[in-house]
Structure formats: structure tokens, C-alpha cells
Amino acid sequence: MKNEKVRASRNRTLTLTDEDFDKFGPLLLNKTSFTKKLSIDEIQNKIINGDLFEVMDFLPEKSVDLMIIDPPYNLSKNFNGFKFEKRTSDSYLDYLESWFPKIIKLLKDNGSLYICGDWKCSSELYQVVSKYLIVRNRITWQREKGRGSSNNWKNCTEDIWFATKSDDYYFDVDAVKQKKKIFAPYKENGKPKDWVESEDGNYRLTYPSNFWDDISIPFWSMPENTDHPTQKPEKLIAKLILASSSPSAFVFDPFLGSGTTAVAAYKLNRNYCGIEINEEYSVLAQKRLWLAQDNKAIQGYENGIFKARNE
């Protein structure tokens, strides 16, 4: 690959070779081959390499159980040659309106949706989502990465808006309980009360809140890490998938990036489909799916339990 970075020997960042393009490129669906409305069987467990605006009219309506959307935030960002420029709030609203009403037609009547953003665009996201769906909650997660600022507060949180199409929707809270250590255990009649005693220490399974401080951003020593500038952690997406979709459900991501939603869905035995305009990221996602065949581990999630950060 040209312009390949020189990396330290212990760096585990996933990269691509020319052979990877030959191996995984043919597995992608390409918009140029679309001539009619596609069925769910034609897109399920596929990655579509194409422009969302050119693809979405070919996709089957009311086919998606869970939609996870991580659109370009209202920031100037270079996605491997595809540049998104920061714009005014009104212009960003217009951008969201240009695709959001169309893409949610894919959602089943009992489907759920999560859409990601930062503090600069979260307000616009809420305005658009609440116009078409029922907003259930706003998750704020701690994105503890990046340098601070000498004249402002360091930005280390992002938002995820949770919405549904109706009051009939799937939510499995038991699937996303968090294992937390207990340092002052309380006993009743000599037995643990609301906690578990184990060889690994005392812990309690707690109900998840809408503030998540247990997420680690992918970095060079993690095998899920890629060079995508805004990659979401598998653990983060796993929580959304487990809470809001049943096994074998269909999970869809219209801005797939390096493939995290598809990979997490595959590892958790869900069906998936994603759209990604960049060929390199599409191939990267396909390679991650191939690697997941031999390793379905999700860092920070083990034996059905989400662990606290760095445990």
C-alpha cells in the first residue's frame, strides 16, 4: 500500500494490503449493480460500497429491527479523501433532513434507532429525530481521549440519541447490566444482599444508566483499532445491539465507516448490513468480519457481563 505508515512492533492497528483488496473487495455489494428494489435477503450480511444518497432508494422498507447511525458530525473532517466541511447549524439541519426521513422508512414499526453526535451537533440531531420518531433517551458516554485545551474545557463526552418508531419496541435491560465491584458489602442473615461473592472479588450487577463511563476508545494496542479517524468501540455498539435487538435481528448502519456495527452484530449473532462510501473502509470492514470468524471476543464484555473500564 502506498503511503504506508511506519509503526512500532507492538502496534496492533489493523491495516490493509493489496492482497486484501483482491480478497475482500469482490465480497462487497456495489451500487453500480443495483437496477431494482432489493430484497432483505440480497442485502442481509452484506456491506454496500456506495453513496448513501444513491443507495437508499433501492433498500427494502420496514426491514430493519435496529438502526445505528454515526453520521459525520458538524466538523471539518477528512475521511480518507472524503471531506466533510463544517457548516452553520441551519445548513447542518438541512443536511440531516436530506437523508434522515428517507432512511427511517427502512425501520420496522417496532424498530429502534440510535444516532451519535457530539455537543456541537447534538441539538440538531434531536430536532430532526424528534420530528419523525419518539425520542426515548439521550445516552452520554465518556470519550476519554485526545488533548486538552489551554483556553476551554476538554471535550470528552459524546451523545447517542435513542428513539423508537412506536411504543412497541424491544428492550432487554438484563443483557446490558454492568458488573461493578463492591467494596463495602452488606449482608443479611450472614448472606450477601444484592451482590455476589466470587474468586474475582465481590460484585453487583447494576442497571445501566444513560451515562457510560466504562468505554475505552480503540488505540494502537487493541486489535480492533484501525486508522479510521472516528472509529466507535465495539463495546459501545455491543451495548446498543444487545439492549435493542433480539438474536438473529437485522441491524443496519448507513454510515458504516470501518465496520464496527457490522462486526459487533456478527459477533453477537445478529444479521447486519452497512453502507460505506469509501472503498478502503469498506474493504477494512470486510476484513474485520473475516477475522471475527475465528475470534468473537469483544474487549470489556465477557461471559455476558460488561466490565468497568480497564478491568
Side-chain angles (χ1 to χ4, degrees):
M1 295 294 293
K2 61 182 179 180
N3 300 324
E4 187 173 351
K5 296 179 181 179
V6 178
R7 304 177 192 272
S9 59
R10 293 183 298 156
N11 192 313
R12 302 175 74 184
T13 299
L14 189 64
T15 58
L16 294 174
T17 64
D18 292 331
E19 290 74 19
D20 288 329
F21 280 86
D22 294 336
K23 180 176 182 178
F24 301 114
L27 300 178
L28 303 171
L29 288 182
N30 196 293
K31 188 270 171 188
T32 57
S33 64
F34 299 169
T35 57
K36 60 179 179 60
K37 201 85 166 179
L38 301 173
S39 68
I40 186 171
D41 291 336
E42 290 176 296
I43 66 169
Q44 197 161 254
N45 299 323
K46 297 290 186 179
I47 293 173
I48 301 171
N49 178 212
D51 187 333
L52 172 64
F53 292 93
E54 298 177 354
V55 169
M56 55 187 170
D57 289 336
F58 290 93
L59 304 180
E61 295 183 5
K62 295 188 176 183
S63 62
V64 173
D65 296 289
L66 172 62
M67 192 176 296
I68 298 175
I69 308 177
D70 186 18
Y73 297 177
N74 195 10
L75 301 167
S76 294
K77 185 73 69 172
N78 186 342
F79 296 96
N80 196 36
F82 291 83
K83 296 181 180 180
F84 188 91
E85 298 296 336
K86 182 180 178 181
R87 53 196 73 186
T88 64
S89 177
D90 287 343
S91 179
Y92 189 71
L93 276 170
D94 291 340
Y95 164 72
L96 296 174
E97 284 279 6
S98 69
W99 56 264
F100 188 80
K102 295 181 180 179
I103 207 69
I104 60 172
K105 291 180 180 179
L106 308 184
L107 206 59
K108 291 180 179 178
D109 289 337
N110 62 349
S112 298
L113 176 145
Y114 293 92
I115 187 167
C116 306
D118 67 353
W119 69 272
K120 291 183 179 179
C121 67
S122 192
S123 173
E124 288 82 5
L125 292 175
Y126 175 79
Q127 290 180 63
V128 173
V129 175
S130 61
K131 183 176 177 180
Y132 299 98
L133 299 175
I134 303 169
V135 175
R136 299 287 171 185
N137 213 326
R138 181 188 68 183
I139 298 164
T140 298
W141 63 283
Q142 188 176 22
R143 191 185 187 280
E144 190 55 65
K145 189 178 181 180
R147 299 176 179 176
S149 170
S150 61
N151 60 0
N152 201 345
W153 306 104
K154 179 182 177 180
N155 180 26
C156 64
T157 63
E158 291 191 11
D159 289 338
I160 304 176
W161 290 99
F162 169 38
T164 63
K165 206 167 185 179
S166 69
D167 289 331
D168 175 23
Y169 62 95
Y170 181 94
F171 195 83
D172 185 0
V173 72
D174 290 325
V176 286
K177 286 185 176 178
Q178 186 179 5
K179 182 178 180 179
K180 290 191 175 181
K181 289 183 177 180
I182 303 298
F183 297 101
Y186 176 75
K187 292 186 177 183
E188 191 174 77
N189 298 323
K191 296 182 179 180
K193 181 176 173 58
D194 299 327
W195 56 278
V196 177
E197 201 168 16
S198 73
E199 295 181 356
D200 298 329
N202 304 323
Y203 70 89
R204 174 184 290 123
L205 293 181
T206 62
Y207 278 80
S209 74
N210 62 355
F211 175 69
W212 297 354
D213 61 354
D214 62 319
I215 305 297
S216 295
I217 299 298
F219 55 94
W220 62 268
S221 67
M222 294 170 64
E224 70 181 84
N225 189 52
T226 73
D227 285 327
H228 192 282
T230 60
Q231 180 183 350
K232 292 294 186 292
E234 290 182 13
K235 182 181 179 182
L236 178 80
I237 302 301
K239 288 191 176 192
L240 308 180
I241 291 173
L242 286 168
S244 293
S245 71
S246 59
S248 76
F250 184 35
V251 181
F252 176 74
D253 186 339
F255 297 93
L256 188 63
S258 62
T260 300
T261 296
V263 173
Y266 174 76
K267 289 183 175 182
L268 296 170
N269 302 314
R270 272 71 171 171
N271 297 300
Y272 63 85
C273 177
I275 302 172
E276 173 52 43
I277 191 172
N278 184 286
E279 182 188 10
E280 184 170 334
Y281 292 152
S282 298
V283 172
L284 189 59
Q286 199 70 60
K287 182 176 181 177
R288 291 177 67 188
L289 285 164
W290 177 73
L291 292 171
Q293 294 179 65
D294 295 324
N295 182 10
K296 287 194 171 185
I298 294 175
Q299 186 161 325
Y301 177 70
E302 188 175 332
N303 298 323
I305 301 297
F306 285 99
K307 295 184 177 182
R309 182 190 288 160
N310 298 327
E311 283 194 10

